[in-house]
Amino acid sequence: MQFPQRIDAHISETDSWRLLQERAPRTWVIREFSERDYGIDAHIEIASHDGHMTGNMFFAQLKAKIEGISWRGTPPDIIASSPPIATSTVNYWMGSPMPVLLLCADLKEREVYVAFAKQQARRKYGKLRTQQSMTFDLNKLLFIRREPENPWLNPFVQMERDHGRFVSELQSLITNMDVYRSFILDNIGRDAHMEVEPDVIAQMFAFHGVCRFLAGYLLIDWSLQPLGTYFEQDRAAFNDGLHLHEWGLTEILRKLSWVFYLIVQQGLRTVSELEADYWAAFSPSIHYIANTEKYQQVLHQLPEEFYGRPRHLMAWPDFD
């Protein structure tokens, strides 16, 4: 007498879901898709610790490794490859407005590892046009745990949600690089007792906001204090009722000049090297600009060359 047989693939799929539920933080609300999926297995929302639904959510694709994951490298760069993913599926992910996490369940070691799929796909974008499938890098440090929760997860999910703004802000900063640089050079080191004009303060606020966002996205250290702190220091130094003096503005711009230089360097490297194929496809104008002789020279300039001023006059930190 014959009966239906449960195949290994179905068993491993069930085991991987059980493992994910076991490892997932208590704040995760996992909604599996019952309809046949096309590269998305679940919709996951992260609730606050007091139980409120936050709208912070992402899509997830879950894959299983029955015999365990084969790691390579040395700490802290111990990596492995995910199971192959069809490039048609990756294209589907890239068209989604939601962050996508590839979760790989190691059924032997009982851990679930994470790859930030869209971020990696942008760096391997050329493969989407030339291959039928591709793998993603897993890092042994990036695994799901119930507690303490994963401190790296929310920032990376938020970065992916902010990617559209990142593209827009980076394009604007690169194309207006000379304007921003001139703003710094024209307003730094002026007569310390002079009052800063309101329109210059407004420009400084806008410049500060752009740099703060891009520095956060590019994981560049943000060394500035809150802007209010500089205004308070300025008032304490002069105590004459004015909003901001050139002395205070110089203190802000000296810090911003270093961060701006790092943003330009990392932004150009992202567009022309790290994610070149992606930017060539989706933002060909900025990809062209970043690869012109002028901007490629900027990419290899020291800060003294970029600003045309010695380091000590700009008061940059000495990281050499």
Side-chain angles (χ1 to χ4, degrees):
M1 184 180 301
Q2 293 185 339
F3 293 94
Q5 183 176 2
R6 193 175 187 214
I7 62 175
D8 290 343
H10 292 170
I11 297 173
S12 63
E13 181 179 350
T14 299
D15 286 347
S16 62
W17 279 109
R18 287 174 178 168
L19 179 59
L20 176 60
Q21 293 285 357
E22 175 187 323
R23 289 285 186 263
R26 298 180 188 277
T27 53
W28 281 22
V29 179
I30 302 175
R31 304 181 180 96
E32 296 181 42
F33 290 156
S34 57
E35 182 61 56
R36 178 179 296 276
D37 77 271
Y38 296 94
I40 302 295
D41 289 326
H43 171 274
I44 299 177
E45 184 169 1
I46 305 174
S48 65
H49 287 282
D50 58 3
H52 290 91
M53 303 309 293
T54 62
N56 188 12
M57 57 189 71
F58 56 89
F59 287 145
Q61 172 79 353
L62 182 61
K63 294 291 185 180
K65 294 282 284 188
I66 301 173
E67 301 300 325
I69 295 174
S70 298
W71 299 99
R72 60 187 184 273
T74 56
D77 298 317
I78 302 178
I79 62 173
S81 297
S82 73
I85 306 294
T87 50
S88 58
T89 295
V90 181
N91 281 322
Y92 179 60
W93 292 346
M94 297 301 285
S96 167
M98 295 283 285
V100 179
L101 267 62
L102 174 61
L103 305 178
C104 188
D106 185 329
L107 299 181
K108 183 178 181 181
E109 299 296 331
R110 307 297 295 170
E111 297 287 1
V112 179
Y113 294 92
V114 176
F116 295 94
K118 294 169 76 172
Q119 181 189 67
Q120 288 199 34
R122 285 191 288 270
R123 297 200 171 189
K124 303 179 179 181
Y125 199 77
K127 295 182 178 181
L128 294 180
R129 296 181 176 180
T130 60
Q131 299 180 185
Q132 294 299 309
S133 65
M134 60 186 290
T135 61
F136 290 81
D137 295 333
L138 305 172
N139 189 306
K140 201 166 188 179
L141 296 177
L142 300 183
F143 59 91
I144 300 299
R145 61 188 181 195
R146 174 148 295 202
E147 54 185 4
E149 291 189 26
N150 316 277
W152 41 264
L153 181 63
N154 279 354
F156 274 97
V157 170
Q158 187 60 49
M159 282 173 62
E160 195 57 59
R161 291 164 65 92
D162 286 341
H163 185 259
R165 180 186 172 188
F166 167 70
V167 171
S168 176
E169 296 281 25
L170 184 61
Q171 287 183 127
S172 177
L173 181 132
I174 289 176
T175 55
N176 290 285
M177 179 188 71
D178 291 337
V179 174
Y180 286 125
R181 181 168 50 188
S182 294
F183 176 76
I184 292 172
L185 293 173
D186 291 345
N187 290 283
I188 199 168
R190 289 159 59 91
D191 186 341
H193 294 82
M194 289 175 55
E195 181 182 11
V196 180
E197 295 295 326
D199 62 328
V200 175
I201 294 178
Q203 292 174 58
M204 183 272 293
F205 269 104
F207 181 41
H208 175 277
V210 170
C211 286
R212 182 163 190 172
F213 171 77
L214 290 174
Y217 194 96
L218 293 168
L219 304 180
I220 293 170
D221 180 51
W222 182 256
S223 59
L224 279 77
Q225 303 177 64
L227 279 179
T229 301
Y230 294 101
F231 278 73
E232 291 171 4
Q233 292 172 350
D234 186 277
R235 283 194 293 269
F238 292 92
N239 195 29
D240 58 6
L242 299 180
H243 291 293
L244 186 68
H245 298 77
E246 294 291 346
W247 174 83
L249 180 61
T250 290
E251 289 301 302
I252 296 170
L253 292 181
R254 279 176 171 168
K255 294 282 189 179
L256 273 178
S257 66
W258 177 252
V259 176
F260 175 63
Y261 165 77
L262 295 178
I263 291 171
V264 169
Q265 294 287 306
Q266 187 61 27
L268 288 174
R269 189 166 291 111
T270 297
V271 173
S272 65
E273 296 177 10
L274 299 178
E275 298 178 1
D277 291 328
Y278 172 81
W279 287 83
F282 286 92
S283 298
S285 58
I286 198 64
H287 178 264
Y288 169 78
I289 291 172
N291 282 281
T292 59
E293 182 179 358
K294 170 185 174 179
Y295 284 89
Q296 284 299 297
Q297 287 178 349
V298 167
L299 183 57
H300 297 94
Q301 284 179 341
L302 296 173
E304 296 92 328
E305 298 168 321
F306 179 69
Y307 285 109
R309 290 195 184 181
R311 179 184 291 264
H312 71 277
L313 291 182
M314 303 293 284
W316 293 309
D318 187 0
F319 291 124
D320 294 340

